[in-house]
Amino acid sequence: MHPLKLLLATLFFFTLAPWATASKVTYDGRAIIIDGKHKLLVSGSIHYPRSTAQMWPELIKKSKEGGLDAIETYVFWDSHEPARREYDFSGNLDLIRFLKTIHDEGLYAVLRIGPYVCAEWNYGGFPLWLHNMPGVQMRTANDVFMNEMRNFTTLIVNMVKQENLFASQGGPVILAQIENEYGNVMSSYGDEGKAYIEWCANMAQSLHIGVPWLMCQQSDAPEPMINTCNGWYCDQFTPNRPTSPKMWTENWTGWFKSWGGKDPHRTAEDLAFAVARFYQLGGTFQNYYMYHGGTNFGRTAGGPYITTSYDYDAPLDEYGNLNQPKWGHLKELHDVLHSMEDTLTRGNISSVDFGHSVSGTIYSTEKGSSCFLTNTDSRNDTTINFQGIYYEVPAWSVSILPDCQDVVYNTAKVSAQTSVMVKKKNVAEDEPAALSWSWRPETNDKSILFGKGEVSVNRILDQKDAANDLSDYLFYMTSVSLKEDDPIWGDNMTLRITGSGQVLHVFVNGGFIGSQWAKYGVFDYVFEQQIKLNKGKNTITLLSATVGFANYGANFDLTQAGVRGPVELVGYHDDEIIIKDLSSHKWSYKVGLEGLHQELYSSDSSKWQQDNYPTNKMFTWYKAAFKAPLGTDPVVVDLLGLGKGLAWVNGNSIGRYWPSFLAEDGCSLDPCDYRGSYDNNKCVTNCGKPTQRWYHVPRSFLNNEGDNTLVLFEEFGGDPSSVNFQTIAIGSACVNAEEKKRIELSCQGRPVSAIKFASFGNPVGTCGSFSKGTCEASNDALSIVQKACVGQESCTIDVSEDTFGSTTCGDDVIKTLAVEAIC
């Protein structure tokens, strides 16, 4: 061999060597075992299509820094196979690139193939062409469905195998999942459901991936599937076989948001309590759903009525910033748990009940012991005597003692910083104060005025059948001829329509009559408005606008969309009501809008009008040029003033927008109390404000040089004059930590510019409103912190009298350090 070729071959071999070492992944009743070592694993969900490929390395790096061992993701069938046997793995759908990015960071991967995913994703991840296949019945023992499911699952497995990405091949994928939460709905499918889940297990096993398969929320998961738990708390979960480890595939870090809904939040204290309690009671693997929620770009949001933001109050926010203190508080917990891995996965377990809702768990090996002390009372702190030492255990908390003597972590005591994120106006060079808009109307005259469609049938169609998910928009058009002697004729006539809960716009003889919509969880309503008809022919046009298809529940795939029917003319004559049912009339259908067909969001058409753009006008297209904001901070566009519609930046869809939909009432003015069981209605904010005002524009969508183009399709009517681009960055950082802690303050890539407040003693208040207490250290805390932190991107401080001097506090006072830093 030529010496150069030999050198290249040698370099190639050593480059691939870390990837070529196969790992053996097995399990027993205590843990997942990788290469013979029992593992305590912490994982987090990141859905690759909800970010961009350019964001993946940083997201995964921050996940690793947060103490994760693995990244978990679903695989999205509808995105990868948008038409039968036509596949797309490009851009942010590049699953293989995502898995390799995980591997490059030295983390494991958990591949939840499904291929039903739920995930608040459109139609649960099923492609609509599957729904329209003759004879198909989904998620049951149906040959048509199972053949398609096998084809897609096999495709994904073979792709991963081809790139040697299963752990058995030296890759990062240590676990895979088939189906998803089927046990929650299986009873609705009867014996066919039981047969289907057996088939799923056999089909998965036949693919020989060399790593274990999971089935979540499946208490009767066939062997060797590992059944796992999803929920707010899974400490009481028990696997269906003693040989299976206790695993938690979805620990909900927050909750999704819906149009018209409030913003849900889950506290760092409660989330940490749930995690610590799970590992205390024998858990070995838990996954945060979500660790980074991201954005529902395009038309991927399901529900219906799931917002474009899928932030989920996750440890990494929608834009990839650290959500502090949640990220930091969990990182501390992960570090402590990992330090106890061998003891927790192999040790003998004993427990003690102290009464008053306080209990302890001891893990013992020949090398030593580790302990947990838990108080599940939601109100009262308790002091206990454990092995001759007194410990105070706060309400609804877990204390962790790695050596069974010293408490190094308590879930209710947060010493991680709180970051206050702020939005800053676009400071791009030469950017005008306001955007300059051009516009053009959406031309639907043929549909609205004349009822001309592409296909006609004598019945009302489900929008899933008629539109095949090619667009949110579907026109339903019919006509009715009336004579003066028609029994329904009169001065008091209405048009009554039973809808499916999606958005509906109604036109009679080209005139707009009204609109109606619902909210998340509402799947029907009745629209009724008074109308005036002409003698002779009248045209009735209904424009249905879906806001995602249903994604969860038994037979969710059969949930109707669009106009459900009946569609009726109602004549009110004194005490008599006459109804004319139009449902079986000839209905014409047209999918989409003219502007969408013409791709106005990405074309260079010159037919845009430059002056006097209209406001509050339905079905209007707007376009504006803008400069990319300087720097690297995440970018958002503020769409306040608009109604509802679709938005694109440089031809990339940033999703549906709907700032005119205000969040419902029901927020409390009291601070959120972490104590007691959590659900998504417990800690909510944003009542009475736009459900979503700001929309993520990934940096990879932008041109750093030259102009960028924003295109809006405004469906309801709005005013774009206030639309502007902003960046998101940390504005200030606060800590409030007890003595004996070592705290870190960070401005996440920018320097600390000032210390607004610092006090060591018993300061009071919360971030933004700290004040000194009744006792203080002898040295000036403010000057000490200023010297350590100002001008630095991050700084660490020991919270102790050694740092700040002795205090005037008594021995019964828990001394704390409170700091507010400006970034």
Side-chain angles (χ1 to χ4, degrees):
M1 179 182 288
H2 189 280
L4 179 58
K5 291 185 177 179
L6 179 61
L7 175 61
L8 291 173
T10 304
L11 289 173
F12 183 72
F13 171 79
F14 282 109
T15 300
L16 290 185
W19 289 62
T21 304
S23 294
K24 184 177 181 181
V25 183
T26 58
Y27 60 89
D28 61 19
R30 289 294 294 273
I32 296 294
I33 305 169
I34 302 178
D35 291 334
K37 180 175 175 57
H38 285 65
K39 303 293 290 184
L40 183 149
L41 296 168
V42 181
S43 175
S45 290
I46 299 176
H47 295 158
Y48 52 98
R50 282 177 160 144
S51 54
T52 65
Q54 291 76 11
M55 293 173 65
W56 297 341
E58 191 67 18
L59 292 172
I60 294 166
K61 179 183 177 183
K62 289 177 178 177
S63 301
K64 183 178 182 179
E65 291 171 349
L68 297 195
D69 304 291
I71 301 296
E72 185 180 277
T73 187
Y74 282 127
V75 180
F76 297 86
W77 188 359
D78 64 324
S79 296
H80 291 305
E81 193 174 359
R84 190 169 185 263
R85 304 302 184 262
E86 296 179 13
Y87 301 107
D88 185 359
F89 290 90
S90 62
N92 69 339
L93 298 178
D94 192 341
L95 171 63
I96 298 303
R97 178 178 174 182
F98 182 70
L99 294 175
K100 288 181 176 179
T101 306
I102 294 171
H103 199 190
D104 289 344
E105 197 58 53
L107 296 181
Y108 299 123
V110 178
L111 194 62
R112 304 177 75 185
I113 300 176
Y116 164 69
V117 299
C118 183
E120 293 71 58
W121 191 267
N122 190 46
Y123 211 43
F126 284 156
L128 257 291
W129 57 260
L130 180 66
H131 164 81
N132 290 321
M133 289 188 71
V136 74
Q137 290 178 289
M138 296 192 193
R139 302 183 80 195
T140 189
N142 172 267
D143 287 342
V144 177
F145 174 73
M146 293 190 298
N147 287 339
E148 296 301 321
M149 177 174 167
R150 180 192 292 111
N151 180 79
F152 181 74
T153 304
T154 303
L155 171 79
I156 298 300
V157 165
N158 287 343
M159 288 178 63
V160 177
K161 280 184 177 180
Q162 187 174 355
E163 298 293 331
N164 296 319
L165 292 174
F166 284 110
S168 54
Q169 304 171 293
V173 180
I174 58 170
L175 298 163
Q177 179 180 300
I178 196 71
E179 246 297 338
N180 187 47
E181 297 184 330
Y182 192 69
N184 294 351
V185 298
M186 190 172 75
S187 61
S188 298
Y189 297 88
D191 291 340
E192 288 78 8
K194 296 177 181 178
Y196 166 65
I197 212 68
E198 289 282 349
W199 173 86
C200 287
N202 292 332
M203 186 269 288
Q205 281 297 105
S206 73
L207 297 175
H208 303 294
I209 62 175
V211 301
W213 283 95
L214 310 177
M215 280 186 172
C216 67
Q217 295 294 90
Q218 194 67 46
S219 60
D220 61 349
E223 199 168 0
M225 305 288 111
I226 303 174
N227 72 307
T228 66
C229 180
N230 293 352
W232 307 113
Y233 308 94
C234 282
D235 51 278
Q236 299 302 313
F237 168 73
T238 302
N240 63 355
R241 288 184 295 275
T243 54
S244 293
K246 181 173 178 175
M247 299 178 66
W248 189 1
T249 35
E250 290 189 16
N251 177 1
W252 301 328
T253 58
W255 201 240
F256 58 84
K257 191 163 72 167
S258 61
W259 298 114
K262 301 177 281 286
D263 284 6
H265 303 278
R266 189 178 187 187
T267 65
E269 295 95 328
D270 179 69
L271 184 54
F273 171 80
V275 174
R277 184 80 170 138
F278 177 72
Y279 286 107
Q280 175 186 358
L281 297 182
T284 183
F285 169 99
Q286 79 92 36
N287 175 75
Y288 295 106
Y289 187 99
M290 301 291 297
Y291 198 76
H292 165 72
T295 306
N296 290 315
F297 298 114
R299 301 170 48 250
T300 56
Y305 288 91
I306 298 298
T307 57
T308 298
S309 172
Y310 198 68
D311 181 87
Y312 222 87
D313 198 27
L316 297 177
D317 71 14
E318 178 179 2
Y319 319 107
N321 296 311
L322 305 186
N323 178 10
Q324 294 278 43
K326 187 173 285 187
W327 183 89
H329 192 47
L330 295 175
K331 171 182 166 56
E332 292 179 31
L333 173 58
H334 304 155
D335 290 345
V336 174
L337 290 170
H338 282 128
S339 74
M340 302 156 58
E341 178 179 62
D342 185 65
T343 306
L344 296 183
T345 56
R346 297 194 311 107
N348 296 319
I349 307 171
S350 59
S351 59
V352 56
D353 186 351
F354 297 100
H356 304 290
S357 301
V358 180
S359 62
T361 305
I362 304 102
Y363 286 79
S364 302
T365 69
E366 65 280 1
K367 297 179 181 179
S369 300
S370 297
C371 297
F372 296 82
L373 301 175
T374 297
N375 182 357
T376 58
D377 191 298
S378 62
R379 287 289 174 265
N380 301 307
D381 301 346
T382 302
T383 299
I384 61 165
N385 186 313
F386 176 56
Q387 297 181 348
I389 302 175
Y390 284 95
Y391 298 91
E392 182 184 42
V393 189
W396 202 254
S397 79
V398 179
S399 292
I400 304 179
L401 300 73
D403 59 359
C404 285
Q405 292 184 12
D406 296 320
V407 176
V408 300
Y409 184 90
N410 179 271
T411 60
K413 297 182 178 181
V414 178
S415 58
Q417 77 175 45
T418 295
S419 296
V420 179
M421 308 305 292
V422 295
K423 297 177 177 69
K424 301 181 178 181
K425 290 187 180 291
N426 186 357
V427 291
E429 297 175 3
D430 303 322
E431 184 70 0
L435 298 175
S436 178
W437 294 96
S438 56
W439 69 282
R440 57 183 292 171
E442 168 62 28
T443 54
N444 288 304
D445 293 347
K446 290 183 178 179
S447 301
I448 294 175
L449 287 175
F450 307 113
K452 292 186 177 180
E454 298 155 341
V455 64
S456 299
V457 294
N458 291 332
R459 60 190 176 93
I460 295 173
L461 296 176
D462 186 320
Q463 188 159 344
K464 297 193 302 296
D465 301 329
N468 208 31
D469 202 29
L470 297 175
S471 174
D472 283 356
Y473 299 98
L474 178 66
F475 287 95
Y476 293 70
M477 298 161 284
T478 192
S479 63
V480 58
S481 295
L482 296 177
K483 297 180 180 179
E484 191 171 353
D485 59 355
D486 193 300
I488 204 170
W489 184 266
D491 294 329
N492 190 5
M493 289 186 289
T494 66
L495 178 62
R496 187 164 66 195
I497 304 160
T498 300
S500 65
Q502 303 276 9
V503 179
L504 180 67
H505 305 294
V506 181
F507 304 84
V508 174
N509 293 326
F512 175 64
I513 299 301
S515 302
Q516 192 158 329
W517 53 89
K519 62 180 181 178
Y520 180 78
V522 177
F523 295 100
D524 57 56
Y525 57 69
V526 175
F527 170 96
E528 186 168 11
Q529 289 286 335
Q530 192 165 33
I531 59 173
K532 289 188 177 181
L533 297 177
N534 302 323
K535 297 172 186 176
K537 183 179 179 181
N538 296 269
T539 301
I540 295 174
T541 301
L542 315 177
L543 175 58
S544 172
T546 54
V547 198
F549 292 130
N551 58 261
Y552 180 75
N555 299 297
F556 77 88
D557 52 295
L558 301 180
T559 303
Q560 286 186 274
V563 177
R564 173 177 293 177
V567 176
E568 301 166 316
L569 292 178
V570 183
Y572 294 90
H573 304 285
D574 298 326
D575 295 332
E576 186 180 17
I577 299 176
I578 306 295
I579 297 174
K580 183 184 288 288
D581 193 338
L582 308 180
S583 304
S584 58
H585 276 218
K586 180 180 178 181
W587 287 87
S588 295
Y589 296 88
K590 179 178 178 292
V591 177
L593 306 171
E594 288 301 317
L596 294 173
H597 293 314
Q598 297 172 29
E599 299 184 349
L600 295 181
Y601 48 85
S602 62
S603 69
D604 294 324
S605 169
S606 60
K607 296 180 180 179
W608 293 80
Q609 301 179 46
Q610 303 301 320
D611 299 319
N612 301 320
Y613 64 85
T615 59
N616 302 314
K617 180 178 174 59
M618 294 178 71
F619 310 133
T620 303
W621 290 83
Y622 298 101
K623 182 167 73 170
F626 67 97
K627 303 287 187 183
L630 299 178
T632 59
D633 291 330
V635 178
V636 293
V637 59
D638 181 359
L639 298 183
L640 189 66
L642 294 172
K644 173 187 179 290
L646 306 170
W648 296 263
V649 171
N650 294 332
N652 300 288
S653 174
I654 62 171
R656 301 181 182 101
Y657 67 80
W658 201 345
S660 64
F661 205 149
L662 303 184
E664 61 195 351
D665 294 330
C667 297
S668 172
L669 297 177
D670 297 328
C672 181
D673 188 346
Y674 70 86
R675 298 174 301 176
S677 295
Y678 177 80
D679 66 39
N680 55 292
N681 297 306
K682 183 176 181 182
C683 298
V684 293
T685 61
N686 202 51
C687 290
K689 298 178 181 179
T691 309
Q692 186 176 348
R693 173 177 173 178
W694 291 280
Y695 298 79
H696 184 204
V697 182
R699 283 278 180 180
S700 60
F701 286 7
L702 298 173
N703 304 315
N704 290 325
E705 303 294 333
D707 283 342
N708 296 271
T709 303
L710 170 66
V711 174
L712 307 172
F713 169 66
E714 176 53 55
E715 177 184 330
F716 280 15
D719 184 350
S721 62
S722 298
V723 170
N724 67 95
F725 289 84
Q726 302 179 12
T727 56
I728 296 180
I730 181 171
S732 60
C734 299
V735 293
N736 192 0
E738 291 186 1
E739 191 176 18
K740 298 181 182 180
K741 285 286 186 178
R742 184 176 177 84
I743 60 100
E744 179 181 9
L745 270 173
S746 173
C747 282
Q748 298 180 22
R750 65 186 67 232
V752 176
S753 62
I755 303 299
K756 185 177 179 180
F757 178 89
S759 175
F760 179 66
N762 64 343
V764 295
T766 57
C767 186
S769 61
F770 287 133
S771 61
K772 294 183 178 182
T774 58
C775 61
E776 185 123 35
S778 57
N779 299 329
D780 181 24
L782 183 63
S783 61
I784 293 171
V785 177
Q786 285 174 334
K787 183 177 180 180
C789 299
V790 172
Q792 306 296 316
E793 291 185 3
S794 65
C795 55
T796 55
I797 301 170
D798 287 319
V799 183
S800 68
E801 290 191 343
D802 290 341
T803 302
F804 296 98
S806 60
T807 71
T808 57
C809 306
D811 293 338
D812 58 337
V813 175
I814 299 175
K815 293 180 281 295
T816 61
L817 171 68
V819 177
E820 181 178 1
I822 306 301
C823 296

